[in-house]
Amino acid sequence: MPRIYITTPIYYVNGDPHLGSAYTMLITDTLARYYRARGWETFYLTGTDEHGDKIAQAAAEAGMSPKELTDRVSTAFRAAWDTCDITYDHFIRTTDPYHIRYVQELLTKVYETGDIFFDRYSGLYCVGCERFYTQKELRDGKCPDHLTEPKLIEEENYFFRMSKYQERLLRHIEAHPDFIRPEGFKNEVVAMLREPLGDLCISRPKSRLTWGIEIPFDQRYVTYVWFDALINYLSALKYKGEDVFTKFWPEAQHFIGKDILKPHGVFWPTMLMAAGLPLYKHLNVHGFWTVEGQKMSKSLGNVISPLAMKEKIGLDAFRYFLLRESVFGQDADFREESLTARYNADLANNLGNLVNRTLAMQERYFKGVVQPLSDPVPELDQRLAATFAQAATEVEHHVANLALSRALEAIFRATDQANKYITETAPFTLVKDPASLPRVGAVLHNLLEALRVAAQLLSPFLPDACAKIFALLNLPAEQIRAYDLPWGKAFVPGHAVQKPQPLFPRLV
Ligand code: MSP
């Protein structure tokens, strides 16, 4: 049985879920649903990243202990993803005892192999990024992400001998060109690896920070938050059992935003090498969303909340817009105007209309009862079936390449053809002649098939609407998963479908 292990970044608990985190969740949730429905053994992980300076500071500002803050915000994250019907298999918190134990175990192992050493260090540290910067990486002396001046910090710390694995990682990437996708991000990592890499400072003295996982071989220190956080991808599987770990780790596909490319593309694989573990299969890197052309920020007051979007237009419409409007790996812009336009054109006029017209005619002409197909099968009917078969093939190809917007485009091209088929066959005219009634029944039967296949292909993307379509078609859940059911075999003549119900009322 094929397998996939899908991970999201674990979110910092110093903010609320927003468009950026929701985007990663919707992509990964769609993929998890897609692979599960096709019989793959799937493990889908998300969670919260709770240690480090940033969280300690946020807690101090909120007048809470870090523990209180992390409990509260982590619960809120989990609740938000539950409200958004995200089908994760496990939610990890880096404050979970099993995670802490595993991080310490791994640190000890790498320490014992000699790849962790103690040294004196001075460097420029950005609290926002929780990492040291080299002069070269700064822009006008400031962190390019946070636009703040890093602090000069001098102290004794533990270091991970990252540079030792630089060449080996380069060779791995050359041998596996799709290790990091899309290609542009692979090239960025390769460029990082062609510069001297240096070693990674992986501890923080407790005199400066206590909110972290204690270094098991020196109680004066806690672990650098990234060294702790990345290990969540392993500890969650270990927690589920050694067999789960063995089955899923080699199939790991991480999904991240482009701002955390270096930790995932450089730190993480070298850490895995030092721990003597196989590398993940793919690092999939997505772009950033702006809102009406601007960076999303609390101060601009333009932060998009997935929960508010659910209230406003419904989850499926939000999912559809984010997945259809963006090309994986590229930046995208969230505009109210494009949201309305896409919703009305694709969801209301194309899919919604197809459902509505088909079921309304089925009800009006046949009281909802399915009629036989035409025999022999006319060319128009053959063409419609072929269009949906083609869409299914395209969806498979595009999803494997993470081109989710192209997969959606292929499905909506097919439903558009089905709407054209209504115009071409004109059942509303034929019905006036009693002799043509069998043909009208056959046309509607083909349209029901179009709806079934469309709903099947769309259900990982629009789970809620597709569940409604299946309920209207009065088909049992097994039919949703029956991908190899040939056209014309799903509805037995005599089967009754439901009256239409509006799925996507037009937005004004
Ligand atoms: N805690 C780290 C990840 C550790 S993974 C071992 C972190 N957390 S985060 O909460 O700051 O960011 C989580 C994710 O949200 C990142 O993948 C980031 O790229 C993504 N996004 C944040 N803002 C975004 C947009 N405006 N657009 C798209 N994604 C964005 O980083």
Side-chain angles (χ1 to χ4, degrees), residues 292-340:
E292 313 280 344
Q294 283 186 304
K295 192 174 166 173
M296 199 170 47
S297 78
K298 272 193 199 150
S299 51
L300 285 175
N302 64 353
V303 177
I304 304 277
S305 142
L307 298 175
M309 289 311 294
K310 176 181 171 162
E311 287 299 306
K312 195 168 161 194
I313 55 164
L315 269 181
D316 278 4
F318 182 54
R319 285 174 84 103
Y320 181 73
F321 179 73
L322 293 196
L323 300 177
R324 179 66 184 84
E325 192 73 8
S326 62
V327 173
F328 192 89
Q330 293 178 20
D331 293 344
D333 190 30
F334 189 95
R335 278 181 192 276
E336 201 74 27
E337 206 184 315
S338 347
L339 173 71
T340 311

Side-chain angles (χ1 to χ4, degrees), residues 65-82:
S65 70
K67 173 81 179 122
E68 270 176 297
L69 176 87
T70 53
D71 282 352
R72 183 177 301 188
V73 184
S74 178
T75 307
F77 260 94
R78 193 170 176 159
W81 302 142
D82 289 342

Side-chain angles (χ1 to χ4, degrees), residues 180-232:
I180 300 172
R181 335 184 259 196
E183 203 185 356
F185 296 111
K186 175 198 89 173
N187 296 340
E188 273 186 44
V189 170
V190 167
M192 291 173 202
L193 293 172
R194 294 225 159 99
E195 297 281 320
L197 197 54
D199 294 323
L200 183 66
C201 177
I202 57 149
S203 65
R204 300 291 181 260
K206 281 190 185 165
S207 55
R208 185 152 73 74
L209 175 76
T210 53
W211 184 239
I213 299 181
E214 192 175 274
I215 296 276
F217 38 86
D218 191 336
Q219 292 172 352
R220 296 171 304 160
Y221 289 88
V222 295
T223 311
Y224 169 43
V225 67
W226 272 105
F227 203 94
D228 152 0
L230 288 161
I231 293 172
N232 92 88

Side-chain angles (χ1 to χ4, degrees), residues 9-12 18 20-21 49 226 229-230 232-233 256-260 264 286-289 296:
I10 46 174
Y11 302 103
Y12 285 130
H18 56 59
S21 39
D49 188 355
W226 272 105
L230 288 161
N232 92 88
Y233 301 132
I256 59 161
K258 64 180 185 178
D259 58 327
I260 50 178
H264 283 84
H286 68 67
F288 256 52
W289 281 89
M296 199 170 47

